[in-house]
Amino acid sequence: MTNYQLTGTVKDGAATVGDFSGTLNMTIAPPPVDTTKPVINSVVVTPASGAASSKRTIKVNATDAGGGLLTYTCWVGGQQATASETPGEFTASPQDTAAIDGNVTDEAGNRTAYTGSVVVAVGPPIQTGTIPLRWDDPRFNSTILQSTVTLPIGANLSNKSYNEYSGGSTVVCAGNNIVSIVRVKSREGVRVGGPGNFEYSECYIEANGSGSDHADGLQAYAPGARGVIKAKNSSFVMGMTAVNCGFFIADNWTGTIDLENVMFTGGCYGLRAHPDYGGDNIIRLKNVFFVPPFLYGPFYFSNVAGHKNIFDLWENVCYATISNGQLIPGAAIPKPA
């Protein structure tokens, strides 16, 4: 109830003026309150889940009985994005990993949340056919050697197949070596045993430990040495017992680890790298695929002795599966902090 005091005058035809006053009681209803939440009509991802594309578009369509402007919020790749049009439209880049999650808010502050199980992460189209995914890939030499080999500084190795279980490294590289179109199946795969440059291309390295082994696909062991290890179009396949990692960089071998179009599967970790007293490590990964299972995780990086791993390149690093002999990229893996 609201009271209004009235005062005024009245004039007749003879210009006689009279005064009046009084109180007027009035009830004024408050304006209506909008408590109706918007309604989510659709959440559409283009292209659909599973398609390979350089990006995806997320469109959220909602209506509001109260009218007015709707504000759309969506978490994409761990970052909050907003849009103020209908439908709300968002773009997910190849590195975004978050599932659809957001809300729609009307002008009165009413909010409706929406979630979805469609993962928006997709990698750009890539060629994975050059990676040998199995031991019997036809590119390899059919002659199987049951021996080990040590490459002196500057020597190269090409078009060889090894299947031996001596317990030592099947291929030992002293420095500045190129190994190409080589397959190895053993208890211990390849050893980087000195400083310099090491290149591995179109290789299939499989290690299955025995007893008290800590088998690695490739291990750098040359304390105090620095160098560059490049692997391209190669697979590192590990068993699940008496093993360590597909790629193991530690024990004060330091330098640059440069991987492109590489697949890891099995072992404690696919890739494990630690710097040491010798200096920092430079990590460069492009089109690197981790196919579970792993005993502990796809990779393990830590800083040692005041030095650190520096991530110079991290592009299209993701989980993957192998189906019908094909490598199928999955969810992207964020770069370590």
Side-chain angles (χ1 to χ4, degrees), residues 246-325:
F247 235 76
F248 185 42
I249 312 297
D251 298 312
N252 203 29
W253 188 100
T254 53
T256 297
I257 298 91
D258 190 341
L259 311 181
E260 181 176 353
N261 225 29
V262 170
M263 187 275 289
F264 292 102
T265 185
C268 296
Y269 302 95
L271 170 60
R272 181 176 176 180
H274 309 284
D276 213 310
Y277 295 98
D280 296 335
N281 285 332
I282 306 299
I283 309 297
R284 295 179 53 83
L285 304 186
K286 180 179 180 180
N287 297 343
V288 177
F289 309 97
F290 293 91
V291 178
F294 301 100
L295 289 174
Y296 303 123
F299 51 72
Y300 177 33
F301 299 104
S302 71
N303 299 329
V304 178
H307 292 285
K308 59 186 178 180
N309 290 304
I310 299 172
F311 296 95
D312 184 59
L313 177 65
W314 191 276
E315 180 178 330
N316 196 37
V317 178
C318 59
Y319 289 103
T321 56
I322 298 175
S323 178
N324 296 322

Side-chain angles (χ1 to χ4, degrees), residues 149-211:
V149 59
T150 297
L151 302 180
I153 295 174
N156 299 326
L157 182 68
S158 180
N159 198 30
K160 299 290 184 182
S161 296
Y162 298 90
N163 187 1
E164 64 86 29
Y165 286 86
S166 64
S169 298
T170 300
V171 179
V172 178
C173 301
N176 296 328
N177 307 118
I178 298 175
V179 177
S180 59
I181 318 178
V182 169
R183 63 176 168 174
V184 172
K185 185 182 289 187
S186 66
R187 286 170 58 184
E188 189 77 27
V190 176
R191 171 162 294 182
V192 170
N197 296 324
F198 304 84
E199 297 184 18
Y200 302 90
S201 64
E202 295 189 74
C203 293
Y204 177 95
I205 311 298
E206 180 177 338
N208 297 279
S210 176

Side-chain angles (χ1 to χ4, degrees), residues 67-85:
L69 183 69
L70 294 176
T71 300
Y72 295 82
T73 301
C74 189
W75 288 83
V76 180
Q79 300 294 321
Q80 181 175 321
T82 59
S84 297
E85 58 222 25

